[in-house]
Amino acid sequence: MTDQPFYLANNTGLIQARPEDDLLHREVNAGIEGDTLTETQYFGFNVPEKNIHGLTYLWHHPNLNVVTGGLMVFQGVKPISMAAELFDFRIYMNDTVLDNDIHDYRLDNGFGVKILEPNKRFHLTYEDAARGNAIDLVSEAVTPVALFGDGKHFEQGMKVRGTLKLRGEEHQVDCFNVRDRSWGKLRPEALMPMPPVSWMTGSFGEDFIFNCNLMDHVGSNPQITAPFEIPQDKALNGGWVWRNGKLSLITAARKEIRRDDRTFQPQEVTLHLTVEDGSTFVARGTLAASCPYATWTNMHANISLIRWDVEGRIGYGDMQDVIWNDFAYSVASKALVPA
């Protein structure tokens, strides 16, 4: 395969993060040519007892001086992004909105993030009074930063507390989530002749959180046919587990997944994960909420809240499931063939 996405082959060990890694990486980015050079900031939250999930996103193209960003919040399963209770992204903003770096920024749609303490605490706010939508949340670290060995991407387990107003109804947020940051890499929008890729997190409490970035592979689901077959041992792009005060790499993974044939939304997923100390566990996930979101036009993602069961312990987390045209067409075209 060619033109592999920026997030593949990220499982290169973990290194120490710095407080400045929560700011823009202007010096690193300055040495990289290409319009698709990217820096991002992601936070999420959920109200699992009400099947509510939220995503906030900042996407900077420093070589184009353009910023994309905003947030989405949805309850249950939505057929299109415009059916979400809250969906407000702006695609083309001048990056003067980041003149104060990302210490304390506010986008044109009113979404903003303030760094209260780098690598530890963040304040997220937004209000749309006309629609009765608002967030006022503090996201606070419960794990160390998991910075991968290339020094250009990290993830971190967070505790999120605060209030969410959704179409006039107020909800209390008190959940766990995994945030992430990326910088210094090109993010090509070319068509990718690949199987789906799933970025999956599961949070069970301050003592147990996992993250796994995994392609569909041979045997993972019946939709995978010859052009998209990836060996299982080549499918893992990165992952870690925080358990009992220790952050460890995931060294092997297997995925079994069932998606809706029409919407591609995940219905069930089972992960078999091996940790670097040799321990293993199985996480069985079912869909709680989902909403489609095409970050750029040559891809499709379903953003989902998954209910996880690990040995009877229940947790919740993201599944950001990405597909490209070749795979989606192959599935859809078979569905149109008469039996």
Side-chain angles (χ1 to χ4, degrees):
M1 292 183 301
T2 58
D3 294 325
Q4 291 190 338
F6 62 98
Y7 47 72
L8 296 188
N10 226 355
N11 216 29
T12 51
L14 298 173
I15 60 178
Q16 184 68 42
R18 309 163 300 161
E20 52 265 39
D21 284 329
D22 259 319
L23 300 176
L24 294 178
H25 293 74
R26 299 187 192 277
E27 291 186 9
V28 173
N29 291 336
I32 300 172
E33 297 181 357
D35 290 345
T36 66
L37 176 64
T38 287
E39 181 151 6
T40 67
Q41 179 194 63
Y42 162 72
F43 291 95
F45 57 92
N46 53 71
V47 186
E49 65 273 16
K50 296 182 179 180
N51 294 332
I52 293 173
H53 189 48
L55 172 148
T56 78
Y57 199 51
L58 173 75
W59 182 12
H60 185 205
H61 281 90
N63 288 347
L64 295 177
N65 304 117
V66 170
V67 170
T68 295
L71 70 169
M72 60 189 292
V73 187
F74 49 92
Q75 185 168 22
V77 177
K78 305 299 184 185
I80 61 173
S81 58
M82 291 298 96
E85 282 78 2
L86 192 170
F87 192 95
D88 193 354
F89 284 90
R90 307 299 164 90
I91 301 300
Y92 304 111
M93 289 176 283
N94 190 289
D95 67 0
T96 54
V97 298
L98 304 182
D99 278 352
N100 189 35
D101 206 291
I102 51 176
H103 293 283
D104 185 5
Y105 68 82
R106 191 160 301 280
L107 304 183
D108 292 351
N109 59 6
F111 171 68
V113 175
K114 183 176 183 179
I115 299 176
L116 303 177
E117 186 176 358
N119 297 174
K120 292 184 178 180
R121 295 179 70 239
F122 308 84
H123 187 198
L124 286 63
T125 54
Y126 169 86
E127 184 175 12
D128 177 3
R131 292 166 184 81
N133 289 329
I135 67 169
D136 188 347
L137 304 170
V138 172
S139 188
E140 186 167 7
V142 296
T143 77
V145 172
L147 176 62
F148 286 104
D150 68 355
K152 295 180 179 180
H153 177 86
F154 74 64
E155 296 150 357
Q156 186 175 32
M158 312 296 288
K159 177 71 171 180
V160 188
R161 297 183 178 92
T163 58
L164 161 70
K165 184 182 285 187
L166 210 52
R167 295 290 167 166
E169 182 179 356
E170 188 164 299
H171 306 271
Q172 294 301 308
V173 176
D174 188 356
C175 70
F176 294 93
N177 186 261
V178 175
R179 73 175 180 119
D180 78 10
R181 295 265 287 114
S182 296
W183 60 89
K185 294 184 180 182
L186 300 178
R187 183 166 298 193
E189 298 183 20
L191 294 172
M192 303 288 179
M194 293 180 54
V197 178
S198 308
W199 185 82
M200 297 164 286
T201 74
S203 300
F204 298 78
E206 294 188 4
D207 63 323
F208 180 29
I209 299 173
F210 73 82
N211 175 283
C212 185
N213 184 325
L214 185 62
M215 289 185 284
D216 283 19
H217 52 78
V218 174
S220 63
N221 79 71
Q223 295 173 330
I224 296 298
T225 55
F228 310 103
E229 289 182 342
I230 300 291
Q232 180 187 321
D233 62 355
K234 303 295 185 182
L236 177 63
N237 303 316
W240 50 267
V241 177
W242 170 257
R243 202 164 199 176
N244 300 322
K246 183 179 180 181
L247 188 66
S248 304
L249 278 177
I250 292 172
T251 55
R254 176 162 62 90
K255 176 170 65 172
E256 301 160 10
I257 187 167
R258 182 173 62 86
R259 296 183 181 85
D260 184 282
D261 286 335
R262 296 176 300 107
T263 66
F264 295 94
Q265 288 174 325
Q267 304 300 304
E268 296 177 345
V269 59
T270 299
L271 299 177
H272 302 258
L273 302 176
T274 301
V275 187
E276 60 183 322
D277 63 6
S279 63
T280 63
F281 66 92
V282 179
R284 305 183 189 279
T286 54
L287 184 67
S290 188
C291 187
Y293 174 37
T295 315
W296 64 91
T297 51
N298 265 353
M299 58 81 80
H300 175 84
N302 282 306
I303 309 300
S304 302
L305 176 66
I306 300 295
R307 180 185 185 272
W308 295 103
D309 184 326
V310 175
E311 300 172 355
R313 187 171 180 184
I314 303 303
Y316 291 84
D318 289 78
M319 183 171 180
Q320 299 181 15
D321 199 44
V322 181
I323 63 173
W324 289 268
N325 178 235
D326 294 319
F327 172 79
Y329 173 75
S330 74
V331 174
S333 59
K334 289 182 179 64
L336 293 175
V337 176

